[in-house]
Amino acid sequence: MKLGVTLPQNWKFDPSTDLVRGAREAEEIGYDSVWVAERVLYPQDQTGIHRLTEYGDGAWPDVYRKVLDPLVAMTMAATVTSRVRIGASVLLPPLHMPYRLANSLAAIGAISGGRVIAGLGTGWSVDEFAATAPRPMKERGAALEEFLDVADAVWGPDPASFENERYTLWPAETGPKPAERIPVFLGGWSGKPLERIARRADGWLPVMVPPAQVASTLTDLRKQAEEHGRDPQAIRCIAIIALGGEFVRVETADRPPYQGSIEQILGDLAELGGAGVEESVLTLPNISRDIEEYSDLLAEFHAAFGAAGI
């Protein structure tokens, strides 16, 4: 299994220095990839339609405060590294003009020498859609599909062209082109999102899904891919491990997956490897108070991962 890490990107870190330091140190220590997230804003009203739908109490966690723009963060990471892949977990195409986002990712793919991984999702925040989205939230699935269509054109050979009821790209030169094909990983855990992965993505990007569920879902995804005429083994899997600060130092017998001690978390990663996951990504900024603690955890987790022989 490969090991990746998310970069220090939110309010706890200095955007002028800490992201660059984190990217450099992750590469020097031996991580295989570095990742950024997209969070457009942090609403003051978190009740009713404004609540966070992924958690029980609806409150937005502090890690979502003042998140550095993901395209800026990816560019910064690309310019100070030479080996690690640079992923997004996740970008939200429905919040962007599709051509502009596709062209920006192509440019990062060019300057990085082909190290970009496009992890994409549809989004869930009413506030973010109201502030930025070119299409209404009810069309977010269609907007993601539209982006993938535009990206196929923009990332492919010139002359690029595309047309639907909203956008027209008459045959044109676009670029620079990514140095290598940009793989697309999509989030989701049921229904239409999984069907979309099976039909047109390179892989699945589960977030905090237990190992047994990863195994069964990945089996189902590959079966669906085969039904779409694709090679089932072409569906890959990179797992995002959202760590919680109150659990990382505490070993406990009765715990949810990905919580407990470092050794217990690594045991979960080993199970993910057995389930077919090729890479796990640790969200170390979630459990870091500042860049110094992030730096220490980078080294500690990687050393433990190597010693575990996963």
Side-chain angles (χ1 to χ4, degrees), residues 39 90-95 120-125 128-129 137 140:
R39 197 84 278 142
V90 292
L91 284 172
L92 304 172
L95 304 184
L120 309 176
T122 55
W124 48 262
S125 167
E128 291 181 332
F129 271 83
M137 188 171 180
R140 55 187 175 169

Side-chain angles (χ1 to χ4, degrees), residues 70-116:
L71 297 175
V72 173
M74 292 175 80
T75 303
M76 293 169 69
T79 58
V80 298
T81 59
S82 60
R83 177 187 57 79
V84 290
R85 288 166 295 120
I86 301 162
S89 174
V90 292
L91 284 172
L92 304 172
L95 304 184
H96 297 261
M97 298 296 287
Y99 177 88
R100 293 298 303 168
L101 179 58
N103 208 39
S104 293
L105 286 172
I108 300 170
I111 67 172
S112 67
R115 293 183 283 134
V116 168

Side-chain angles (χ1 to χ4, degrees), residues 26-278:
E27 180 167 83
E28 291 167 0
I29 288 169
Y31 283 85
D32 298 288
S33 59
V34 294
W35 295 72
V36 305
E38 178 160 37
R39 197 84 278 142
V40 175
L41 46 75
Y42 189 90
Q44 294 297 292
D45 181 359
Q46 298 182 12
T47 63
I49 63 170
H50 307 284
R51 66 191 297 274
L52 192 154
T53 57
E54 296 176 344
Y55 299 99
D57 64 1
W60 291 45
D62 279 352
V63 294
Y64 287 173
R65 292 179 182 272
K66 298 180 180 177
V67 176
L68 181 66
D69 179 275
L71 297 175
V72 173
M74 292 175 80
T75 303
M76 293 169 69
T79 58
V80 298
T81 59
S82 60
R83 177 187 57 79
V84 290
R85 288 166 295 120
I86 301 162
S89 174
V90 292
L91 284 172
L92 304 172
L95 304 184
H96 297 261
M97 298 296 287
Y99 177 88
R100 293 298 303 168
L101 179 58
N103 208 39
S104 293
L105 286 172
I108 300 170
I111 67 172
S112 67
R115 293 183 283 134
V116 168
I117 304 169
L120 309 176
T122 55
W124 48 262
S125 167
V126 169
D127 295 81
E128 291 181 332
F129 271 83
T132 67
R135 295 176 65 168
M137 188 171 180
K138 66 181 180 181
E139 298 178 9
R140 55 187 175 169
L144 176 55
E145 296 268 8
E146 179 177 66
F147 169 77
L148 294 174
D149 293 338
V150 172
D152 283 344
V154 173
W155 297 345
D158 287 333
S161 63
F162 174 82
E163 185 172 4
N164 68 6
E165 66 275 15
R166 270 166 297 278
Y167 304 108
T168 298
L169 172 61
W170 286 302
E173 294 182 7
T174 67
K177 302 292 186 179
E180 299 286 344
R181 180 181 174 278
I182 297 176
V184 171
F185 283 70
L186 300 180
W189 50 82
S190 64
K192 184 64 176 179
L194 292 182
E195 187 277 333
R196 184 181 296 117
I197 295 168
R199 178 165 42 85
R200 65 183 310 180
D202 295 286
W204 179 35
L205 204 64
V207 180
M208 293 302 286
V209 179
Q213 187 178 344
V214 169
S216 61
T217 302
L218 193 53
T219 297
D220 181 60
L221 273 172
R222 288 171 172 162
K223 181 180 178 181
Q224 289 189 57
E226 191 169 23
E227 291 169 355
H228 285 290
R230 302 182 62 194
D231 175 3
Q233 296 308 310
I235 302 296
R236 299 154 57 195
C237 186
I238 298 174
I240 308 301
I241 311 302
L243 302 172
E246 65 270 36
F247 298 106
V248 71
R249 297 297 181 192
V250 180
E251 185 165 342
T252 175
D254 184 17
R255 65 183 183 94
Y258 317 119
Q259 297 178 5
S261 67
I262 291 179
E263 290 73 20
Q264 287 177 310
I265 292 167
L266 293 178
D268 294 331
L269 301 195
E271 288 189 47
L272 286 174
V277 172
E278 67 178 51

Side-chain angles (χ1 to χ4, degrees), residues 249-310:
R249 297 297 181 192
V250 180
E251 185 165 342
T252 175
D254 184 17
R255 65 183 183 94
Y258 317 119
Q259 297 178 5
S261 67
I262 291 179
E263 290 73 20
Q264 287 177 310
I265 292 167
L266 293 178
D268 294 331
L269 301 195
E271 288 189 47
L272 286 174
V277 172
E278 67 178 51
E279 183 164 2
S280 292
V281 178
L282 304 171
T283 59
L284 294 188
N286 292 13
I287 57 173
S288 304
R289 290 166 295 184
D290 53 32
I291 188 61
E292 298 303 330
E293 186 169 21
Y294 176 86
S295 179
D296 291 343
L297 288 169
L298 272 179
E300 186 173 4
F301 265 95
H302 195 272
F305 180 82
I310 298 172

